Amino acid sequence: DNCSGCHPISDDDDNPIMPKVAGKSQSELSSIITELENLEGFMPPFEGSDDEREALATWLTGLEGSSAGGAQ
């Protein structure tokens, strides 16, 4: 829920998440999530557990093959 406030799944909205995760592996996304606050622009740190970070990275990896990703 925290991510979708600024990064909607739909490509029709501003700042969609799909182009940001496209082509990245689960491992790459997990590393990126770990360092969110160090990315260009404002990103709050990920406050979830290691298991939650891995689950989010796995879910994001699955978005590329889905039109809706299953949730927002």
Side-chain angles (χ1 to χ4, degrees), residues 22-72:
K24 293 182 175 62
S25 70
Q26 188 274 342
S27 178
E28 289 173 309
L29 290 171
S30 181
S31 293
I32 291 167
I33 294 166
T34 300
E35 299 291 326
L36 287 178
E37 68 273 17
N38 296 323
L39 297 176
E40 184 177 327
F42 174 76
M43 286 291 298
F46 182 73
E47 296 180 352
S49 68
D50 289 345
D51 287 342
E52 290 168 326
R53 184 187 71 245
E54 293 300 323
L56 177 57
T58 298
W59 182 78
L60 289 168
T61 302
L63 284 180
E64 193 167 3
S66 168
S67 61
Q72 289 191 31

Side-chain angles (χ1 to χ4, degrees), residues 11-26:
D11 285 337
D12 297 334
D13 293 314
D14 292 334
N15 206 21
I17 193 66
M18 299 266 278
K20 297 177 186 325
V21 302
K24 293 182 175 62
S25 70
Q26 188 274 342

